[in-house]
Structures are given as structure tokens and as C-alpha cells.
Amino acid sequence: MAKYYCLIAGLSDLTADDAKAPFTQQSFRDEIYPSLTAADRKLMDLLPLENDCRNLLSLLRGADDRMEPCLFSREELERLIAAVKADDRAAGPIPGFMYDFVKDYLQDSMQGQADDRLFAMYYAYAMKAGNAFVRDWFGFCLDMGNVQTAVTARRYGLDVRQLIVGEGDVADALRTSGARDWGLSQQLPFFDELIRIMDEPDLALRERRTDMLKWNWLEENTFFDYFTVERLFSYMVRLGIVTRWTGLDADRGQQLFRRLIDGLKGQVSVPDEFGNN
């Protein structure tokens, strides 16, 4: 396992209360990338790959949105789409799951669930990483996001089976269990805390506490990783959290909540009381 003594020793301290991140995620990645082994580069690449998924969806939908910082350029993603249309699966740098997704999308076989399908494929890909910490991180994020979705779906009478992303014991329980806690309170160490967070009426505070749950998970699970890629991976994730909170206020918190509800298939309108918090 590679050790990055000088690289990590030179990192600025990072706390959740920082007013400004010392780097963007992209600039941090660019700075450390030349010093990493090829295997560790692949691990770090999993984080910006999430933005590539969002960018790919935007291109397929014909949106002219600003491209998020990512691994692949607009031109590379457009070439991927063209290659799928030409039934040309030549080897390239873009992960194969993205090719498979585009093929399914163009065949209109997703029944309106493109976002869920793509991010299920992304998580499945990331959870095959050759690093236990990275696999656990993506598994933690997947489980946490699915629990949040299930809680929201149950509150608004939505069909949770159609909204849970990915596979595994937790996803199966959320789809099939009728128990109050889906049988997960003992299985997931963070379950009770996440339920308390979901009961928070202040939407911006709820979002921040969710990020703090992630932050604490990262710190706890890298406590003994002093000079390894796990520490760098954790630092890059936390940079993203600090950067996001630099410009997040109560109004933005309400926007995030409304986007969550809208994303649950547009089957529910937000009650008026949420607009008054």
C-alpha cells in the first residue's frame, strides 16, 4: 500500500465549520494526481465520476446546463452517445456501465426511471473498487440515501419499491418490509440518528446534519489511516461538503427539499407548512 507522507503532512486542516474550503475538489485532485499510484488514481476518480453521470443525463435530455467538473469532457460524452447509436463498443476510458446505460436509455426501456437506473449502476460500479474503505463509503452513502427516500416516500404515500436505488440487504428490506423501522435499526448503526435528522423541521439544518453524519463517518473510518489514499479520499469528500455549505442558506435548503420531492416521480406536492419554516 502506497504511503503519501509529504502529501498528507502538507494538507491544510479541514473542519466542518470552515468558512471557505482551501481547494475545490477539482483543484485538489489536480494537485495530488501526479503523486498517486495508478490504482489510487482510479479510486479518487470515483468521486468526480458522479458528476459525469449527471452530465451524461443532461446531454441525453438535450439540456444545455453548465457542465459540472468531472473526468470526461462534453466531447467525450457526446462521442460515447454517438458510439452507442452506431453500435460501436470500442474500448475507451469511459466505464462500461455508462455505455450500457446509454444503450438502454436510447431504447426507451427505463419507464421514466433513468436517474435511478444510472445512479444504481454508478454505485454498483463504485462498490467494486479494490479498496475496502472506498467500497464501504459508497455502500454507506447508498444505504443512507435509500433510508431517506423510504422515509419521505412513506410520509407522502408513495410506492417505495419504485424509488429505492441499487441492490443489497438494505435495499431489499426497504422495498419489502412493512415494519416501522424496516427491520434496519439494529443493522445500520446510523439508522436512529438519520431518523432524528429526518424529523428536523428546519430544512437547511436537516441538510447540514446529514452532511455531518457523513463527515463523522469519514473521520471515524480513517482514524488509523494516517498517510494512505483513504485519508486523501476522505479529505476530497469533505472538501466538497465545505464548498457546498459555503453558499447554502435556508432558502437553498428549501430548494433541496423541493427537488427531492419533485424527484420522487412528481407524485406529491409539498404541504404548505414546509414553505413556512
Side-chain angles (χ1 to χ4, degrees):
M1 179 183 292
K3 299 288 186 180
Y4 301 104
Y5 298 104
C6 294
L7 194 60
I8 292 175
L11 291 178
S12 303
D13 290 336
L14 195 61
T15 71
D17 295 324
D18 285 348
K20 182 179 180 181
F23 314 93
T24 64
Q25 281 188 319
Q26 186 66 32
S27 63
F28 177 70
R29 177 181 171 274
D30 292 344
E31 180 71 22
I32 68 172
Y33 209 73
S35 302
L36 302 182
T37 66
D40 288 346
R41 290 175 186 173
K42 290 181 179 179
L43 295 176
M44 301 298 291
D45 284 348
L46 290 171
L47 293 174
L49 184 61
E50 183 175 3
N51 284 340
D52 283 294
C53 292
R54 294 192 179 95
N55 292 339
L56 180 61
L57 280 169
S58 292
L59 288 175
L60 287 168
R61 290 167 172 160
D64 194 24
D65 298 338
R66 180 178 62 85
M67 300 285 280
E68 296 287 345
C70 52
L71 296 178
F72 305 112
S73 67
R74 184 188 192 100
E75 291 73 22
E76 287 175 302
L77 294 178
E78 288 174 339
R79 284 198 294 271
L80 169 66
I81 296 171
V84 175
K85 291 179 177 178
D87 199 23
D88 176 15
R89 189 160 187 160
I94 297 180
F97 80 86
M98 298 178 79
Y99 182 102
D100 294 335
F101 170 80
V102 174
K103 185 175 182 178
D104 289 345
Y105 184 93
L106 295 177
Q107 292 174 349
D108 196 26
S109 62
M110 297 185 181
Q111 301 179 352
Q113 298 180 20
D115 296 67
D116 292 347
R117 179 76 66 85
L118 179 55
F119 284 99
M121 297 169 81
Y122 164 68
Y123 276 107
Y125 176 80
M127 289 166 65
K128 294 178 182 176
N131 179 287
F133 167 79
V134 173
R135 291 194 301 271
D136 289 346
W137 164 251
F138 282 102
F140 165 73
C141 290
L142 178 63
D143 290 343
M144 189 169 72
N146 276 336
V147 170
Q148 290 175 304
T149 297
V151 170
T152 303
R154 181 176 280 180
R155 286 177 180 173
Y156 293 97
L158 306 180
D159 184 359
V160 70
R161 295 171 298 176
Q162 303 301 317
L163 304 175
I164 299 303
V165 174
E167 305 298 332
D169 293 342
V170 173
D172 289 345
L174 292 170
R175 289 189 181 103
T176 61
S177 176
R180 181 179 178 85
D181 66 349
W182 296 275
L184 295 174
S185 58
Q186 299 301 313
Q187 181 177 345
L188 298 177
F190 60 84
F191 183 87
D192 291 340
E193 175 62 21
L194 185 57
I195 296 302
R196 287 192 290 271
I197 291 172
M198 292 296 290
D199 288 335
E200 169 58 56
D202 185 311
L203 303 177
L205 181 57
R206 184 192 305 177
E207 191 73 12
R208 186 166 181 83
R209 288 179 61 190
T210 300
D211 278 345
M212 285 307 305
L213 190 59
K214 295 178 180 179
W215 189 289
N216 292 336
W217 188 97
L218 289 164
E219 290 195 330
E220 289 170 7
N221 285 273
T222 56
F223 187 81
F224 296 107
D225 297 312
Y226 300 111
F227 298 104
T228 64
V229 69
E230 289 86 354
R231 179 74 63 169
L232 294 172
F233 188 96
S234 170
Y235 193 89
M236 187 165 167
V237 175
R238 288 182 291 129
L239 275 174
I241 292 174
V242 172
T243 300
R244 192 163 72 94
W245 277 98
T246 304
L248 191 63
D249 56 18
D251 290 339
R252 178 62 174 154
Q254 295 222 16
Q255 292 173 24
L256 286 168
F257 178 75
R258 292 180 184 277
R259 192 167 65 207
L260 168 65
I261 298 299
D262 291 343
L264 297 183
K265 307 297 174 286
Q267 298 179 33
V268 66
S269 59
V270 181
D272 292 338
E273 58 264 28
F274 280 96
N276 298 323
N277 291 325

